[in-house]
């Protein structure tokens, strides 16, 4: 990702005056604020600030230290990411038991298709540890015997590996605002339905019970609202009359891996952005498959379309 913007993320308990304290510090050091967004969820305060540091009156290290010192004084966790910090992006892949999405990401990485490093694989079970070890990538199990995640341990591991992007490769746990807010627009999930249809658990089963003829998968950014984050890529498949849950998974899983990998590439290349809850793809977006393949146009009818009444009226 090529950008001259410095990103500052502030997380902590909600309190008055937090925004003013941080922005005043930036103003005093000649830092220009390009964008600021704040939110509170479940008592957790999050502020994201995109700034231009090209004319600031201190060094990058001084600004980082000053922000961290302010954070300590106010009980805030402050993360600063300068452009140079993102020259080689680090990916953390989170998974549970299913391996197909992780395998696709590993294969792309091994073939130098990502332009980033997979720094760590994190699971809430240890089922994926052999696959991580095969690619010589560290594996951390942060789950208890029932697979319940330890989020404090998760955050420690993400910080240890200086993670830029979190990829949820069929990770079957919900992340709290304490995690999501720290990595806003840097967590990508794949969901086995054509969102916004069939959110939540057992999406393939929901599709079967709903009697759909076409089902699919969606890769999207994670927000604090379950399965409602900005959509990046989607894939679709037919649902035969005699399809059962196993058939749905057989058809859907390869597309899950494909859609997730495409979304990861879009993000890493800086070709997708989020504005007002929707994604947009930059000028070279035609290089990616966002939805159905182009071949579908050959079998999609292009007429009739609305407007024949206007044409006939003009001829009379």
């Amino acid at each position: 990702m090529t950008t001259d913007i410095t990103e500052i993320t502030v997380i902590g308990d909600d309190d008055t005056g937090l925004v003013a304290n941080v922005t005043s510090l930036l103003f005093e050091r000649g830092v220009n604020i390009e964008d600021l967004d704040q939110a509170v969820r479940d008592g957790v305060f999050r502020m994201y600030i995109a700034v231009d540091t090209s004319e600031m009156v201190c060094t990058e290290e001084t600004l980082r230290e000053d922000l961290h010192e302010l954070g300590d004084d106010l009980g805030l966790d402050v993360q600063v990411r300068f452009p140079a910090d993102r020259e080689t992006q680090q990916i953390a892949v989170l998974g549970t038991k299913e391996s197909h999405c992780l395998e696709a990401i590993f294969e792309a990485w091994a073939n130098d298709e990502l332009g980033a490093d997979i720094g760590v694989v994190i699971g809430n079970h240890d089922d994926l540890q052999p696959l991580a070890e095969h690619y010589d990538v560290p594996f951390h199990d942060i789950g208890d015997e029932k697979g319940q995640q330890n989020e404090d341990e998760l955050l420690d591991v993400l910080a240890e590996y200086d993670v830029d992007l979190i990829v949820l490769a069929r990770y079957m746990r919900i992340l709290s605002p304490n995690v999501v807010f720290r990595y806003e627009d840097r967590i990508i999930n794949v969901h086995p339905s054509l969102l916004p249809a069939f959110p939540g658990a057992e999406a393939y089963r929901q599709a079967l019970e709903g009697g759909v003829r076409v089902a699919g998968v969606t890769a999207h950014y994670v927000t604090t609202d379950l399965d409602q984050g900005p959509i990046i890529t989607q894939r679709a498949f037919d649902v035969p009359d005699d399809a059962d849950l196993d058939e749905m998974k057989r058809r859907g899983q390869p597309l899950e891996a494909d859609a997730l990998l495409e979304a990861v590439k879009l993000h890493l290349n800086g070709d997708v952005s989020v504005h007002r809850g929707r994604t947009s793809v930059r000028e070279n977006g035609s290089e990616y498959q966002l939805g159905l393949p182009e071949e579908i146009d050959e079998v999609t009818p292009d007429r009739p379309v609305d407007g024949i009444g206007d044409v006939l009226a003009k001829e009379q």
Side-chain angles (χ1 to χ4, degrees):
M1 183 184 302
T2 58
T3 177
D4 294 328
I5 291 295
T6 294
E7 299 175 328
I8 302 170
T9 304
V10 181
I11 304 292
D13 294 335
D14 188 26
D15 199 358
T16 58
L18 299 181
V19 176
N21 276 282
V22 177
T23 55
S24 294
L25 185 150
L26 296 175
F27 175 76
E28 291 167 2
R29 286 150 184 78
V31 176
N32 184 48
I33 296 175
E34 301 283 347
D35 186 33
L36 188 152
D37 182 63
Q38 58 178 310
V40 177
R41 188 67 179 264
D42 297 337
V44 179
F45 168 82
R46 186 270 303 169
M47 179 168 59
Y48 168 84
I49 315 174
V51 302
D52 179 1
T53 57
S54 61
E55 298 183 5
M56 69 178 177
V57 295
C58 64
T59 65
E60 291 184 354
E61 188 58 33
T62 297
L63 179 63
R64 194 192 301 271
E65 291 176 355
D66 289 347
L67 284 168
H68 285 168
E69 183 178 338
L70 177 65
D72 291 341
D73 292 342
L74 299 176
L76 301 171
D77 179 21
V78 182
Q79 301 174 8
V80 185
R81 300 170 72 236
F82 292 102
D85 297 337
R86 302 189 296 274
E87 289 179 355
T88 301
Q89 298 184 79
Q90 295 293 318
I91 303 171
V93 184
L94 275 61
T96 295
K97 295 184 176 183
E98 298 178 12
S99 64
H100 54 288
C101 289
L102 177 59
E103 181 182 359
I105 294 170
F106 268 140
E107 288 181 354
W109 178 54
N111 293 327
D112 295 324
E113 296 176 7
L114 295 184
D117 288 334
I118 300 177
V120 62
V121 175
I122 304 171
N124 61 316
H125 292 282
D126 62 4
D127 297 62
L128 299 177
Q129 184 169 354
L131 184 56
E133 291 177 345
H134 176 76
Y135 284 92
D136 197 26
V137 172
F139 180 88
H140 290 260
D141 183 356
I142 61 163
D144 60 19
E145 63 278 0
K146 295 183 179 180
Q148 183 61 45
Q149 65 194 5
N150 183 326
E151 282 204 342
D152 290 336
E153 185 177 355
L154 171 61
L155 288 172
D156 288 343
V157 174
L158 294 174
E160 176 185 351
Y161 289 91
D162 196 18
V163 169
D164 295 290
L165 174 65
I166 301 171
V167 179
L168 306 185
R170 299 298 286 134
Y171 184 64
M172 308 305 289
R173 281 289 180 265
I174 297 173
L175 300 177
S176 77
N178 196 35
V179 176
V180 174
F181 277 167
R182 295 169 191 269
Y183 295 90
E184 192 86 5
D185 296 336
R186 292 192 285 141
I187 308 175
I188 297 178
N189 181 46
V190 64
H191 182 74
S193 82
L194 289 173
L195 291 174
F198 310 125
E202 300 288 344
Y204 285 142
R205 187 182 301 278
Q206 291 183 61
L208 275 176
E209 293 174 352
V212 301
R213 293 297 186 182
V214 176
V217 305
T218 302
H220 64 98
Y221 284 111
V222 173
T223 65
T224 53
D225 295 312
L226 180 64
D227 296 331
Q228 295 183 42
I231 292 170
I232 309 172
T233 58
Q234 293 185 302
R235 301 287 188 271
F237 61 89
D238 284 326
V239 181
D241 277 345
D242 59 352
D244 57 12
L245 190 58
D246 288 339
E247 177 65 12
M248 294 286 283
K249 291 181 178 180
R250 187 190 70 79
R251 291 178 177 237
Q253 285 184 345
L255 296 179
E256 292 172 21
D258 189 58
L260 180 61
L261 181 57
E262 196 80 336
V264 168
K265 290 179 179 178
L266 272 158
H267 178 92
L268 292 173
N269 292 334
D271 289 332
V272 63
S273 60
V274 180
H275 181 65
R276 297 185 182 275
R278 296 187 63 179
T279 60
S280 59
V281 179
R282 298 195 169 93
E283 58 187 19
N284 51 344
S286 59
E287 300 175 6
Y288 304 94
Q289 183 184 337
L290 303 180
L292 293 171
E294 292 181 358
E295 292 78 8
I296 200 68
D297 290 340
E298 299 176 5
V299 295
T300 302
D302 59 4
R303 64 173 305 277
V305 295
D306 191 30
I308 187 63
D310 294 337
V311 173
L312 295 175
K314 292 178 181 179
E315 291 178 351
Q316 293 178 354

